[in-house]
Amino acid sequence: MAAATRTFLAFQHDAKLHHLQTVVTGVQSFASLEESNRLLFKQGGDEDHVVVTEQTIFHPQGGGQPSDVGEMVNSAGVTFIVASVRMDAVNDGQVLHFGRFNNHSSSSSPPTPTFSEGETVQQAIDVEKRILYSRFHTAGHVLGAAVRHLLEKEVENFDELKASHFPDSASCEFQGLVEGKWKEPIQKKLDEYVAAKMPVEIEWWDEEDFRARGLERLIPDRSLVPAGEKSRVVNIVGAEAYPCGGTHVETTDLCGPTTVKKILRSKGASRVSYTVA
């Protein structure tokens, strides 16, 4: 692999980029990965590889959002099917695209990696899945905003903890006990926010921007923000702002009908699960 350099996350600057031409900086077999990186791809086998590029439109799994999938193709038509994407566990800021080459060699020829460092490839994501994941991710933030609006002063020690925006397990977790009686009011506020077509804007803030808005509680850990860079913030205008590196729809109505499924309470925390239609 080439010397590690941070991968430019093009999707964070333009979520409408569904195709991107970029340069390969490394190709590595799954077997030759460091153990900590092999553990990221538990389905990995002898035929799998990891490709690193200068830029990427593939969202890596993280922040509660699944990774994008898709493909990369070089000028000779060689295709690399991207099955999963993760941040490198060893090289800070590098994105690992995991998958297999669609090798068209004869059966008597051993398959070999057919991208080389320095060559140009065309990336393409699965747009349908990207849109689905974006709808779930924005809906999760809208749900979080609705719960905070209603319960911040009603529930002792209330805070937002974490969230999963995977379609089959979408939920938001909160500190404090959210009683079942709140399910209907949360649904009503959620419906209101979705119907309001609130703009979902991507902004870049430094620590002073958070403080100026009275949002010191949201200032990210310094270790999570590269030196000299600002934090990416998803601002649901009229509701809440969140530090977030994921993909989103442009207005809240594009989440589609969002339904609160149930509220579970355990060990001083509450999990509100949801789905989108």
Side-chain angles (χ1 to χ4, degrees), residues 31 88 112 115 190 235 256 269:
D88 194 313
T112 56
F115 288 169
L190 180 59
N235 184 11

Side-chain angles (χ1 to χ4, degrees), residues 65 127-143 165 167 170 194 247-258 274-277:
Q65 181 175 335
V127 177
E128 185 175 335
K129 287 188 176 179
R130 161 65 69 82
I131 292 172
L132 177 65
Y133 298 158
S134 298
R135 290 173 60 216
F136 266 93
H137 200 157
T138 303
H141 283 335
V142 176
L143 172 60
H165 309 295
V194 170
T247 65
H248 292 271
V249 294
E250 293 184 313
T251 53
T252 56
D253 58 302
L254 296 177
C255 294
T258 304
Y274 71 96
T275 189
V276 300

